[in-house]
Every structure is written in C-alpha cells, then in structure tokens.
Amino acid sequence: MKKTGFIFDLDGVIVDTAKYHYLAWRKLANALGFEFTEEQNEQFKGVSRKRCLEILLNIGGIQATKEQFNSWLVEKNEDYLSLIENMDESEILPDVQKVLSFLKNHNMPIALGSASKNARPILEKVKLMDYFDVVVDGTHVTKAKPDPEVFLIAAEQLGVHPEDCVVFEDAVAGIEAANNAGMLSIGIGEAKVLSKANFVFANFTEIDVKFINRLME
Ligand code: G6P
Ligand code: MG
C-alpha cells in the first residue's frame, strides 16, 4: 500500500483519557442538576470542548448566557486538568509504544492529530513527545472532525500526500475525518461502532508488525 505517513489520535488511542473527560463533564452536569451517563459520553469522543458543552446543556435542557457558557468551559477544563495532573507512562494504552517504536525504527514520519487543546502536556506527561515529528491539536484547527482539517494539516506538515497517510482513531467522527481526507482509516475499538473504518482492531495488542509492514510495502 506504500503508506508513508502515520497519524495518531490521542484520547482513546494513545491514552485512555476519555474516562477523565467523562468524570469532569459528569461533575458539571451533576452541579447543574442532571445525570450524564457513560453512554451519552460516547458522543463526546473526538468532539471539541465547546461542542461537548453545547451537547451537554442540550441533554440537561439548560439555556446559558455567553458568560455562563464560558465559565462552565473553564470549570470543566480545570477539573479535567486536576484529574490528569498525575498522569504518567503507566496510562499509555497497551502496545501503543510497540507500534510507535516500530514506525520510528523504520524512519516513518509520525504525527499527532487531536481535537484536544491539552494534547501537548499529555504527551509530555506520558513521555511520548519524542516519537512525534508533528503535533496538530485543538489549538491549530478551526473545523472539528469529521472535517478532515486536522489530518490534512498533519499530512502537510509531515510532507506526505494525504492518500499516503494512515490514521488511527477511536471516534466515529475521527474515522469520518480520515475518510474525508482520503486517508486509510484504522479504527481502534468496536467494529460495529467504527463500521466506516478501512480496518478495525480492538486495541494495539491486536496489531502485529506484519500488518504495519504490509501498510508500508
Ligand atoms: C478529544 C476528545 C474529546 C474532547 C476533545 C477536546 O477529541 O476525544 O472528548 O472533548 O479532545 O479536548 P480538550 O482537552 O481540548 O478539552
Ligand atoms: Mg479519540
């Protein structure tokens, strides 16, 4: 397939931060007087902080002024930051490093393509920054996944044509963004949820180096 650029989403692919995002959103929902379930949290994967708050307030049937909206955004992020404060390498998902090392050893360009504005500090906390040639995060994009912007910027910065890139994603919106960018999409999660992906694996322990080799040949 001769793939020469490899782009990774962060939350739910490299680290399981989805649980911390969930806890922080649930805390806000509870403070506003309603429940927020893990199932509802599925819709938040790959979605910007601002859009998540809009969905949350919609679930709770709450109207907010601009000031309230902005202060709840800050509150959620502060809670999230305190939850991830002590995060370390032990929170890297299984075999992520195996795949990153394999690609690095073969001199493949590697990018991060995440909607999170907290991506850089998280990569630093889990000590994976050195694997990435390029980091494109929520501070660089104007259009959210499923818009392909984040991945197209990553490809451009890597100097690789979009059609020569592979994207690893756990969110439905992320798989759609990769497909919209004309890239090969690899879903990490459940096949029935990520049905639009070109390939799906439950996690990186299921991806052997032979598969990665085939992508590069
Ligand atoms: C990722 C997560 C989303 C999160 C978004 C923004 O895409 O999957 O759940 O809302 O990043 O994250 P941030 O760290 O900027 O609030
Ligand atoms: Mg994700």
Side-chain angles (χ1 to χ4, degrees):
M1 286 188 226
K2 268 264 175 255
K3 298 298 176 191
T4 50
F6 291 81
I7 306 175
F8 292 77
D9 173 49
L10 176 70
D11 297 292
V13 168
I14 291 176
V15 283
D16 185 16
T17 38
K19 63 181 182 222
Y20 300 126
H21 279 294
Y22 170 62
L23 291 174
W25 285 124
R26 191 181 66 181
K27 189 173 171 212
L28 180 63
N30 293 167
L32 296 175
F34 63 95
E35 291 302 321
F36 175 57
T37 66
E38 268 188 88
E39 208 181 336
Q40 289 167 325
N41 186 59
E42 280 301 306
Q43 312 167 57
F44 283 37
K45 292 186 176 171
V47 174
S48 74
R49 194 183 311 164
K50 195 165 158 275
R51 183 70 197 123
C52 289
L53 182 56
E54 286 166 1
I55 302 171
L56 190 82
L57 296 179
N58 197 27
I59 292 171
I62 290 180
Q63 303 278 344
T65 63
K66 205 162 180 256
E67 288 69 32
Q68 279 173 325
F69 190 92
N70 289 333
S71 90
W72 290 335
L73 274 185
V74 171
E75 194 177 317
K76 184 270 168 178
N77 194 50
E78 282 172 355
D79 285 332
Y80 176 68
L81 289 178
S82 66
L83 288 165
I84 62 165
E85 198 183 335
N86 298 318
M87 212 175 164
D88 61 20
E89 302 97 297
S90 66
E91 303 212 34
I92 300 171
L93 288 165
D95 278 358
V96 166
Q97 252 160 315
K98 171 193 80 180
V99 173
L100 287 173
S101 300
F102 183 81
L103 292 171
K104 204 81 201 153
N105 290 338
H106 288 78
N107 294 318
M108 288 291 131
I110 305 174
L112 190 88
S114 166
S116 173
K117 293 184 172 156
N118 296 303
R120 277 186 176 271
I122 291 173
L123 282 182
E124 263 152 24
K125 277 179 203 293
V126 300
K127 303 197 169 62
L128 289 180
M129 194 57 106
D130 288 349
Y131 284 104
F132 293 89
D133 301 293
V134 161
V135 174
V136 185
D137 63 26
T139 65
H140 305 104
V141 292
T142 53
K143 296 179 216 125
K145 300 171 187 176
D147 189 283
E149 185 187 26
V150 60
F151 297 141
L152 291 175
I153 296 175
E156 193 185 354
Q157 290 190 8
L158 287 176
V160 178
H161 289 297
E163 61 272 24
D164 296 332
C165 290
V166 178
V167 173
F168 296 91
E169 254 291 350
D170 70 313
V172 174
I175 292 294
E176 286 172 3
N179 294 343
N180 290 337
M183 300 177 177
L184 186 88
S185 55
I186 302 187
I188 302 294
E190 284 183 51
K192 66 174 192 300
V193 178
L194 305 174
S195 58
K196 291 186 185 161
N198 296 122
F199 296 93
V200 182
F201 297 94
N203 55 55
F204 283 91
T205 64
E206 287 194 356
I207 303 183
D208 65 7
V209 290
K210 271 193 243 146
F211 174 78
I212 304 283
N213 249 328
R214 262 201 289 137
L215 297 179
M216 297 179 342
E217 275 163 6

